[in-house]
Amino acid sequence: MTSMHQRELGSSIRKLMESDPAFRPVAYLSMEIGIKESLPTYSGGLGILAGDILKSAADLGVPMVGLTLLYRKGYFEQSFNADGWQTEKPVQWQPVQELTLLPNQVSLTLQNREVHVRVWQYEIIGATGYPLPVYFLDTDFDNNHPDDRKLTWHLYGGDQIYRLCQEMVLGVGGLRMLRDLGYKNIETFHMNEGHAGFLTLELMREQGYYDPEKIRDQVIFTTHTPVPAGHDFFRFDLVDKVISQEALSNLKRMLPNADGVSMTELGIRFSRYVNAVSKKHAEVSRNMFNMPEIDWVTNGVHPGTWVSSGMRRLFTTHIPGWERDPGRLVQAVKIPPEEIWTAHQASKMRLLAGVMEQTGRQLDPDVLTIGFARRAAQYKRADLLLSNIRRLMEVGAGKIQLVFAGKAHPRDDGGKTVLQRLLTASQKVDEMIPIVFLENYDMEKGALITQGVDLWLNTPLRPREASGTSGMKCALNGVMNFSVLDGWWIEGWLEDVTGWSVGPEPSESDMMHYDESLDAIDLYDKLEKKIIPTYYHNREKWIWMMQRTIALNGSFFNTHRVTREYCEKAYNISFRGM
């Protein structure tokens, strides 16, 4: 056989393996997966992270598969009434335009009714052509009761029973669907947060007898929530209304001495490997769950998705192979400073053009532009910068302009109040400090803002930021972070090198006592004494910091590194991309 025939045969075998479920030993389950803005099946960081990990897995040739729910009405479209109060309406989109409906169907019993589940497929094609299928579970079709059709309408919507049913569809229905699709040889089920925890219940039903170790051998669990209130909990009297008596009996056996189901406890108890999403988050989680063996894999972002076109060209010219191995971005310190600045200014002009198009406001490309775009939860404190208007005017009048974006959950009045307060306060300073708010924060706007601002502001209450990824997108584009020392920033922060801290360094007492006022004082002082003077009077130092932000943060905080860590620490597999 000639070498050409051998190569052709090898290529044919690889293609067969890539398409055969028997050669996919890892399944990644997440309540939300954000792949692109035209697939509105995500709300924020958790879903975007899931999509980025799967994209990196495809780039690296990791033999895995993704699984989530299909949300017919998306997360929501955001607008504001005359009082500055957020209002919502469903997203209009057609899955048939983005996804392929497969013939497979499975069922499970919920609330004494048989609920049928069908599945749609999206295929992520990696940088070298490796295909990675993502499956979207759907109950909205004629076979189901009208109430059951709604189970895949809303992401994070409805009451406790609605949420419980959704999580049963994801965990139990998801495993049944994977089996029906031919995935009989999965060695690792990766649960991204506790929403898929009922997978463990279905694994126990499959094995036909109670063997916790056999379940643990197949499951790993990633926790993202550093506060107890953020973890789903369903009392057994509520669970009894939804699932069968046999399933309830098994759950009680799996969680003895409990009065309900903590989805996080279910995930932790029945996983062979448990990780937090930053070093600090691991410390918090170990204390919260009294589990010293919790590891950490600090989050990252997908380089190919979040780097600007200008920076991409720059990296490709000066750092060949960076997309395959983002660790090579350490060489960014050698990119000519004027080229870094030119690429950044092009991204800034795109952002300002987008602002003009969406709001009618014309911002100045020569003014220091600060961005804040996050999920609008109270602990993220989007309005901290505006907490002392007099001090802000002293520091920033005529010297800064602000771009905000973010959605509050439809039932989170606290988050909506933060947005209302932000819009109200912005009107008081707008003549001297231009402030714009971009509605309907999504992946497209996220990329526009993180690529185009000069400085990224992040002001969560410590230690409530498990990791955070928006600032990582900025770092990949040479945009420095100005952030509270929490989550990933503790690991990425070098003062006056990769950015600046807000407030004091973390301490063991943060959860019990934390003087929030210190953050605002430090924020204004550093803006006045460090950041603004550097931007306007020491441009050479500013660009020097941009280079090191890419080299030190962009090279590490990416999902290629994250995926490799999971393969080494948790999946126990090697793959062709390593």
Side-chain angles (χ1 to χ4, degrees):
M1 183 182 292
T2 66
S3 59
M4 183 180 73
H5 288 142
Q6 286 177 327
R7 286 196 299 272
E8 289 176 351
L9 179 61
S11 177
S12 298
I13 292 172
R14 277 198 304 274
K15 287 181 179 178
L16 284 172
M17 291 175 64
E18 289 171 359
S19 61
D20 189 341
F23 293 96
R24 301 256 178 186
V26 180
Y28 185 92
L29 289 79
S30 182
M31 192 72 165
E32 51 173 307
I33 295 179
I35 298 172
K36 56 183 181 176
E37 56 271 3
S38 58
L39 277 174
T41 55
Y42 63 92
S43 73
L46 181 75
I48 300 302
L49 172 75
D52 282 5
I53 286 175
L54 293 172
K55 289 174 189 176
S56 282
D59 288 342
L60 296 171
V62 181
M64 63 193 294
V65 57
L67 185 73
T68 187
L69 300 187
L70 181 129
Y71 301 103
R72 288 282 176 162
K73 299 183 183 294
Y75 190 43
F76 63 84
E77 286 190 9
Q78 178 191 49
S79 58
F80 293 87
N81 64 22
D83 296 324
W85 191 254
Q86 175 186 286
T87 60
E88 307 87 23
K89 63 179 181 179
V91 177
Q92 300 297 323
W93 74 294
Q94 296 297 325
V96 71
Q97 296 176 358
E98 300 286 347
L99 308 171
T100 301
L101 179 62
L102 302 182
N104 307 72
Q105 286 190 24
V106 298
S107 64
L108 68 160
T109 301
L110 298 174
Q111 301 182 86
N112 296 315
R113 289 192 299 268
E114 187 177 20
V115 177
H116 301 273
V117 183
R118 65 181 182 179
V119 67
W120 301 72
Q121 177 179 307
Y122 181 89
E123 200 165 64
I124 299 172
I125 304 299
T128 60
Y130 186 81
L132 192 152
V134 182
Y135 297 107
F136 294 81
L137 303 174
D138 180 22
T139 65
D140 188 12
F141 58 108
D142 290 341
N143 292 17
N144 284 321
H145 184 280
D147 290 343
D148 298 330
R149 293 186 63 161
K150 298 176 184 178
L151 292 178
T152 51
W153 277 12
H154 301 285
L155 174 58
Y156 304 137
D159 57 15
Q160 279 277 88
I161 287 183
Y162 185 84
R163 184 71 167 264
L164 174 59
C165 289
Q166 280 191 323
E167 297 189 9
M168 285 289 291
V169 171
L170 178 62
V172 175
L175 180 53
R176 292 180 185 179
M177 182 61 75
L178 287 171
R179 300 306 193 207
D180 197 67
L181 288 164
Y183 294 92
K184 311 291 187 183
N185 299 323
I186 296 175
E187 298 170 3
T188 300
F189 294 94
H190 185 168
M191 299 193 301
N192 188 40
E193 249 318 343
H195 309 115
F198 291 124
L199 164 84
T200 60
L201 179 65
E202 179 65 8
L203 284 172
M204 194 174 87
R205 189 198 65 80
E206 278 191 345
Q207 68 191 30
Y209 55 92
Y210 188 67
D211 186 349
E213 286 306 315
K214 187 174 180 181
I215 298 174
R216 289 189 192 101
D217 285 345
Q218 301 174 76
V219 180
I220 73 166
F221 177 73
T222 299
T223 177
H224 292 262
T225 309
V227 289
H231 299 266
D232 283 347
F233 180 84
F234 305 105
R235 293 188 59 84
F236 280 135
D237 56 357
L238 184 141
V239 177
D240 183 40
K241 298 176 182 178
V242 174
I243 70 175
S244 70
Q245 287 302 305
E246 180 184 1
L248 180 61
S249 176
N250 285 338
L251 264 182
K252 290 182 176 180
R253 191 175 186 185
M254 295 169 76
L255 296 169
N257 306 315
D259 58 356
V261 183
S262 164
M263 299 303 288
T264 300
E265 183 183 352
L266 192 61
I268 288 176
R269 184 185 287 263
F270 291 94
S271 294
R272 69 171 187 256
Y273 174 85
V274 178
N275 74 281
V277 288
S278 70
K279 185 174 185 291
K280 178 63 176 179
H281 182 220
E283 296 170 5
V284 173
S285 298
R286 288 167 187 164
N287 291 330
M288 187 187 307
F289 303 120
N290 192 27
M291 189 178 176
E293 62 269 33
I294 291 178
D295 196 7
W296 76 89
V297 176
T298 303
N299 284 341
V301 298
H302 181 249
T305 298
W306 299 107
V307 72
S308 71
S309 56
M311 286 294 179
R312 183 194 302 273
R313 283 192 295 272
L314 211 54
F315 297 163
T316 301
T317 299
H318 294 280
I319 313 173
W322 73 274
E323 283 187 280
R324 183 80 173 188
D325 180 11
R328 296 187 184 188
L329 290 175
V330 294
Q331 300 172 45
V333 292
K334 297 180 180 179
I335 299 176
E338 65 275 9
E339 294 186 32
I340 291 274
W341 185 250
T342 298
H344 169 69
Q345 286 299 98
S347 296
K348 187 173 183 179
M349 292 304 296
R350 275 196 304 276
L351 169 62
L352 301 192
V355 168
M356 168 67 85
E357 182 180 353
Q358 294 173 47
T359 69
R361 295 292 304 279
Q362 185 168 357
L363 300 183
D364 188 337
D366 295 323
V367 170
L368 174 62
T369 303
I370 301 174
F372 186 110
R374 311 294 309 279
R375 180 168 56 86
Q378 284 181 291
Y379 81 88
K380 293 182 183 286
R381 299 189 296 180
D383 56 347
L384 182 67
L385 182 63
L386 299 164
S387 60
N388 187 334
I389 298 296
R390 181 190 59 80
R391 182 75 176 109
L392 177 62
M393 295 291 284
E394 289 176 356
V395 169
K399 300 172 185 174
I400 63 173
Q401 55 195 10
L402 309 171
V403 178
F404 285 91
K407 292 179 175 179
H409 186 280
R411 294 197 306 274
D412 181 7
D413 284 350
K416 290 183 179 184
T417 299
V418 169
L419 291 180
Q420 186 181 48
R421 197 158 55 232
L422 175 67
L423 296 176
T424 301
S426 67
Q427 295 171 4
K428 299 178 181 177
V429 302
D430 198 55
E431 287 188 12
M432 297 300 294
I433 300 178
I435 299 177
V436 296
F437 186 94
L438 300 183
E439 296 179 8
N440 271 318
Y441 183 48
D442 59 9
M443 288 182 70
E444 185 177 13
K445 290 186 179 68
L448 191 69
I449 299 170
T450 54
Q451 293 167 6
V453 296
D454 298 307
L455 182 71
W456 191 251
L457 181 64
N458 186 35
T459 51
L461 281 172
R462 299 196 319 260
R464 291 166 175 79
E465 184 84 291
S467 178
T469 53
S470 297
M472 300 174 186
K473 296 163 190 152
C474 291
L476 191 64
N477 289 284
V479 173
M480 279 82 76
N481 276 257
F482 183 30
S483 174
V484 166
L485 287 167
D486 201 9
W488 81 278
W489 185 232
I490 298 173
E491 300 167 52
W493 162 68
L494 284 173
E495 188 76 4
D496 297 311
V497 178
T498 59
W500 298 270
S501 63
V502 173
E505 294 192 34
S507 69
E508 290 296 322
S509 64
D510 282 348
M511 288 294 275
M512 295 175 288
H513 174 73
Y514 175 31
D515 188 349
E516 300 174 31
S517 64
L518 296 178
D519 290 344
I521 292 170
D522 196 44
L523 189 157
Y524 295 127
D525 285 350
K526 281 186 177 167
L527 266 180
E528 181 179 37
K529 298 172 183 175
K530 283 189 171 187
I531 296 171
I532 291 174
T534 303
Y535 182 81
Y536 287 106
H537 306 303
N538 194 349
R539 187 58 53 80
E540 182 179 346
K541 171 67 180 298
W542 189 273
I543 301 173
W544 180 91
M545 290 180 67
M546 292 177 70
Q547 291 173 304
R548 276 136 193 88
T549 294
I550 298 168
L552 298 176
N553 288 349
S555 67
F556 182 80
F557 296 101
N558 58 77
T559 45
H560 280 42
R561 186 265 312 158
V562 172
T563 302
R564 287 190 172 101
E565 281 201 46
Y566 278 126
C567 286
E568 295 163 0
K569 293 181 173 183
Y571 300 165
N572 301 321
I573 64 170
S574 59
F575 57 96
R576 69 181 191 181
M578 290 187 70

